[in-house]
Amino acid sequence: MANEILVDALPYIDAGYDEPEVKQMVFSLIEEELNLHAFETEILKNEFQRMEQRQPMEMLSMKRYELPPPPPGKQTDAAAWLECVENSYAQLEHQATRILNLELMSDYGSNSWKVYNQTLKTMFDQAEKQLEELKKNIQSVNLARKHEQTAAGSRLNAMERAWIGLVSKNYEIECAIVELEKELVELKKNKAAKEQSIEDKIDENTANTNSQENNQMETSN
């Protein structure tokens, strides 16, 4: 039954939306329009899957920061030791770069952070302004829809009353026609009965006249 109901025809004037079947249909339509997984990336999907399976988070690997010596089988291999020394140089340069970054952050990080916060504040204010404008537009659209649907509802109610009046008049006319047909049939019956009665009287008078004439003729003879 609910599938046969238009839930978006004139919601400001239509009735019946509080019925459980209609509510369920409305919620189904809303769920079809919503896409709750549109923002998920592969990383987020994997993380959600990990949390659903209650698996621990993978720890940060520190293997690349290690300085292991050559394996036992290559303790006398100069090339293996040279690779380890080059790895240590790379690690040392990486640590120096990290120290330099920390020094730069110590000197300029606070100002960069302030600029970043100010940028976020500006973006937030713009988003909030857009949100307010969107709410106003939504309210304007809803008010316009309500006004249009209320006006349409008044016209529909007037047309419905007119239709009911015309149907009632047609019914009254049909009833009157039926009564007139009954009266016409009755009149025809009465007319036929009167005509028959007149014919009977004429026949009776004729018979009486003929009887009197016969009596007179018999008397004169």
Side-chain angles (χ1 to χ4, degrees), residues 13 147-162:
I13 63 173
H147 177 72
E148 292 177 358
Q149 293 184 16
T150 303
S154 300
R155 292 194 298 270
L156 288 174
N157 291 332
M159 288 188 287
E160 184 178 7
R161 289 193 297 269

Side-chain angles (χ1 to χ4, degrees), residues 190-206:
N190 293 335
K191 181 180 179 182
K194 289 181 180 179
E195 290 177 351
Q196 186 64 39
S197 176
I198 292 172
E199 290 179 358
D200 293 341
K201 287 182 180 180
I202 291 174
D203 293 341
E204 184 179 356
N205 291 333
T206 302

Side-chain angles (χ1 to χ4, degrees), residues 162-191:
W163 177 78
I164 293 174
L166 292 174
V167 171
S168 300
K169 288 183 179 178
N170 288 338
Y171 178 75
E172 293 175 358
I173 292 172
E174 289 178 357
C175 293
I177 291 173
V178 172
E179 293 297 326
L180 289 174
E181 288 178 348
K182 290 180 180 179
E183 292 180 3
L184 181 59
V185 171
E186 190 67 26
L187 289 173
K188 287 181 178 180
K189 289 181 179 180
N190 293 335
K191 181 180 179 182

